[in-house]
Amino acid sequence: DGGITQSPKYLFRKEGQNVTLSCEQNLNHDAMYWYRQDPGQGLRLIYYSQIVNDFQKGDIAEGYSVSREKKESFPLTVTSAQKNPTAFYLCASTDTDGQGLAEAFFGQGTRLTVV
Amino acid sequence: KQEVTQIPAALSVPEGENLVLNCSFTDSAIYNLQWFRQDPGKGLTSLLLIQSSQREQTSGRLNASLDKSSGRSTLYIAASQPGDSATYLCAVRDNYGQNFVFGPGTRLSVLP
């Protein structure tokens, strides 16, 4: 059963603490993405990766970090430098097989709350 | 810079009605356009993907059209049902095929 798995579903962070959100896919997709969603706003791109060991900053990368050591995994770390981390975080992946489909698939999201 | 808008922001209709959701984008040089559904507190579910060379795609009661030259796409939902209640988002992918730009979504309520 192919898809994208995000964990945990809910995460609570104390002030000054780093936390890591997990994203795993078994779709054999090369490209993976992290988005942030705030109430009343559209999705905003944090980081993306087109291939293993390579990633690029999106529109709101400050205070976040990622790694892409394996094709299946693209974890996002929310650092203490991110001043307003409370949001819904979504991970996505797409194929880049040259066929041009590039359909995006999303995980079920992680809701991060600062306490 | 690509910008995507969706009209209306919210829509409430009685069950059984046919309805149209609109998506507009400012740069016509797109790779593809995708419609998603999002239920409260959930991730996005892909509904339809239209390649830049296509004019429309259909899946069940859903039909999406694309007019690249005018920068518009519509999602047509036939015979709406209460289970269709959700937020519908459109996203365009640029010709470099790297990133999606999302619209803010249309929140749909179908009343029984």
Side-chain angles (χ1 to χ4, degrees), chain A residues 49-61:
Chain A
S49 169
Q50 296 286 312
I51 197 169
V52 173
N53 292 323
D54 185 56
F55 48 83
Q56 305 295 328
K57 292 182 179 180
D59 300 321
I60 56 166

Side-chain angles (χ1 to χ4, degrees), chain B residues 68-80:
Chain B
K68 263 200 341 177
S69 60
S70 66
R72 290 192 292 186
S73 176
T74 61
L75 179 66
Y76 175 83
I77 303 177
S80 59

Side-chain angles (χ1 to χ4, degrees), chain A residues 68-90:
Chain A
R68 188 84 187 278
E69 297 178 359
K70 298 186 300 182
K71 188 176 185 178
E72 307 80 36
S73 179
F74 191 40
L76 173 73
T77 296
V78 184
T79 75
S80 57
Q82 172 49 241
K83 298 306 178 188
N84 185 24
T86 295
F88 191 51
Y89 291 86
L90 289 160

Side-chain angles (χ1 to χ4, degrees), chain A residues 21-37:
Chain A
L21 284 60
S22 171
C23 178
E24 303 276 334
Q25 54 100 358
N26 61 5
L27 299 167
N28 200 34
H29 286 170
D30 287 313
M32 297 186 74
Y33 307 79
W34 274 105
Y35 290 90
R36 170 179 172 143
Q37 187 176 37

Side-chain angles (χ1 to χ4, degrees), chain B:
Chain B
K1 181 182 176 183
Q2 179 77 268
E3 292 183 2
V4 180
T5 56
Q6 291 186 246
I7 295 174
L11 182 63
S12 184
V13 300
E15 182 177 4
E17 273 204 8
N18 303 325
L19 56 98
V20 175
L21 307 181
N22 297 290
C23 172
S24 298
F25 46 95
T26 54
D27 186 347
S28 62
I30 66 170
Y31 192 75
N32 61 32
L33 183 146
Q34 196 166 353
W35 282 94
F36 296 90
R37 168 189 174 134
Q38 185 177 30
D39 293 292
K42 303 291 187 182
L44 277 63
T45 299
S46 178
L47 297 174
L48 289 164
L49 173 73
I50 309 178
Q51 300 300 321
S52 62
S53 58
Q54 296 176 320
R55 296 283 294 182
E56 67 177 337
Q57 282 285 349
T58 298
S59 176
R61 294 182 294 108
L62 306 179
N63 175 277
S65 67
L66 174 64
D67 184 344
K68 263 200 341 177
S69 60
S70 66
R72 290 192 292 186
S73 176
T74 61
L75 179 66
Y76 175 83
I77 303 177
S80 59
Q81 303 170 358
D84 295 330
S85 298
T87 296
Y88 291 80
L89 299 102
C90 69
V92 299
R93 195 166 196 181
D94 61 34
N95 265 339
Y96 301 100
Q98 292 185 349
N99 297 326
F100 295 89
V101 178
F102 282 83
T106 293
R107 189 171 68 253
L108 173 66
S109 296
V110 181
L111 307 175

